[in-house]
Amino acid sequence: DGMMTNLVKDMNTDIQAFEPVVLYLNGEYWGILNMREKVNEDYLESNHGVDANEVDILESNSQIVEGSNEDYIELLDFMNINNLADDANYNFVATQIDIDNYIDYQLSQIYFNNRDWPGNNIKYWRPQAEDGKWRWILYDTDFGFGIYGNTDYMLNTVQFALEPNGPNWPNPPWSTLLFRSLVQNTTFKHKFVNRFADMLNTTFVSENVIAEIDSIAAIVQPEIPRNFIKWNTPGSQWWETSVQNMKTFAQNRQQYLRNHLNQQFVNAGVFDLTLSVIPSEAGNVKLNTIVVGGDLWQEKYFQNVPVTLTANPRNGYGFN
């Protein structure tokens, strides 16, 4: 869970800070724990500068943690009776929801293949202000990254997150309603697909993910033998196999997700997009939501989903 949190910490996500620690109680060794931020109104005040006494925090199906659920229920009512394929309806919903946060939250859970979600471990909030927008908090993702199978990277969590008739757990109809409604709109769908492609080409590149796994594994590994002796649990070989399962997930997930996104939203080709900055030191290019540069950059995007390109010359250069 801490690895997944760290992986997306630079995206537009609300996450719990993470640090592995060794615990002693009255001098007795008590093994490894993960120190995390607690998600509550004080977390929102610390991380967003809002008044802790003036926030709405909900979980599950509009259940109140703090504040009120009236605003969110009104939003659900609107979506139930209005087709978001209509841009006017979608634009209204976009005044109520932080769309960029919601997209990053959804695609993170989908990439992780977290199937203890979306009907569980879901929490969302808004400041109690006229222009307050709903945001989603990422937490408790530990069903993800192949915890129950070394071929979990194959699973189509895109379809899973859009299931209209899922069971009470883990993806009942109420938990997929918002996503199902939003993807009816072409603007949102293209925005979602392009942002997912951007992340598959940067944050979720297998080498980057494996480096994150290795960095945390290196911190934890020296304590593994003592921790297992303390709790009489499986030995280091089991732990090493589990870490390798995570790396196998990272190595294979991109390819399968591109296919899933194509099947669900595009049903056309996946193409190589090549960008060059000449001369390479002259600037960079903003591609959708990421910045790229250099003599040659090539990654995969989706046919019929328009991308946005902006040339950014450095001081002393102009774009021709």
Side-chain angles (χ1 to χ4, degrees):
D1 187 65
M3 187 284 296
M4 290 180 256
T5 292
N6 273 18
L7 189 62
V8 301
K9 66 183 178 183
D10 294 327
M11 292 164 57
N12 190 351
T13 49
D14 289 344
I15 61 169
Q16 299 170 278
F18 157 73
E19 186 171 355
V21 299
V22 172
L23 177 66
Y24 289 83
L25 291 176
N26 298 326
E28 181 184 353
Y29 179 76
W30 214 251
I32 304 169
L33 291 178
N34 293 327
M35 183 163 63
R36 311 301 296 268
E37 285 180 289
K38 182 175 177 62
V39 176
N40 58 15
E41 64 275 19
D42 298 315
Y43 165 92
L44 298 176
E45 184 169 271
S46 297
N47 286 278
H48 286 278
V50 298
D51 188 331
N53 298 311
E54 296 181 0
V55 292
D56 297 329
I57 306 176
L58 307 181
E59 63 183 5
S60 189
N61 190 9
S62 307
Q63 294 178 7
I64 298 171
V65 178
E66 294 288 337
S68 166
N69 63 3
E70 291 181 9
D71 182 89
Y72 192 75
I73 289 174
E74 288 179 6
L75 178 60
L76 293 180
D77 289 342
F78 178 87
M79 289 190 297
N80 273 316
I81 61 176
N82 293 281
N83 189 341
L84 298 197
D86 185 310
D87 282 341
N89 293 333
Y90 168 73
N91 290 338
F92 169 75
V93 170
T95 68
Q96 307 299 303
I97 289 174
D98 186 328
I99 295 293
D100 292 338
N101 161 262
Y102 181 76
I103 286 175
D104 277 5
Y105 171 81
Q106 287 289 121
L107 68 84
S108 295
Q109 297 276 23
I110 288 169
Y111 171 80
F112 298 154
N113 184 41
N114 179 18
R115 284 171 293 135
D116 194 14
W117 169 91
N120 190 38
N121 295 323
I122 176 171
K123 193 169 289 188
Y124 39 108
W125 71 280
R126 68 181 283 272
Q128 293 174 349
E130 188 173 340
D131 58 350
K133 293 186 177 184
W134 291 98
R135 290 178 59 90
W136 276 256
I137 301 170
L138 187 72
Y139 74 104
D140 202 347
T141 62
D142 59 2
F143 269 44
F145 252 77
I147 190 171
Y148 292 122
N150 58 11
T151 60
D152 279 3
Y153 55 80
M154 297 180 180
L155 295 173
N156 189 343
T157 332
V158 177
Q159 188 178 60
F160 171 87
L162 289 165
E163 176 57 53
N165 297 302
N168 285 336
W169 178 90
N171 56 344
W174 68 261
S175 69
T176 64
L177 172 65
L178 180 55
F179 194 34
R180 282 186 282 120
S181 299
L182 285 166
V183 297
Q184 295 173 16
N185 183 270
T186 301
T187 297
F188 176 88
K189 183 167 64 174
H190 285 175
K191 189 179 180 74
F192 179 82
V193 170
N194 271 333
R195 177 62 172 173
F196 217 142
D198 287 347
M199 294 302 95
L200 288 172
N201 294 332
T202 53
T203 298
F204 299 146
V205 168
S206 59
E207 291 83 0
N208 294 346
V209 181
I210 290 171
E212 188 65 47
I213 294 169
D214 283 340
S215 70
I216 297 175
I219 298 170
V220 173
Q221 191 278 331
E223 289 296 324
I224 290 297
R226 275 210 303 170
N227 187 81
F228 284 158
I229 291 170
K230 167 68 180 178
W231 297 112
N232 191 29
T233 49
S236 297
Q237 186 175 358
W238 173 84
W239 180 79
E240 290 165 3
T241 299
S242 299
V243 173
Q244 183 55 52
N245 283 347
M246 295 175 69
K247 293 182 180 182
T248 299
F249 185 97
Q251 288 165 340
N252 293 280
R253 188 60 169 159
Q254 279 174 292
Q255 172 190 346
Y256 281 88
L257 264 176
R258 286 193 178 107
N259 290 337
H260 299 158
L261 289 166
N262 194 16
Q263 292 165 14
Q264 188 70 48
F265 297 124
V266 185
N267 197 27
V270 177
F271 64 89
D272 289 325
L273 175 63
T274 303
L275 295 174
S276 296
V277 175
I278 302 170
S280 59
E281 70 274 11
N284 54 46
V285 177
K286 186 175 183 183
L287 165 60
N288 297 326
T289 66
I290 60 175
V291 175
V292 300
D295 294 327
L296 181 66
W297 185 91
Q298 185 178 78
E299 283 294 353
K300 297 185 183 299
Y301 283 84
F302 295 93
Q303 196 75 38
N304 302 330
V305 180
V307 299
T308 302
L309 296 167
T310 306
N312 298 314
R314 290 198 174 95
N315 288 339
Y317 291 90
F319 172 57
N320 185 17

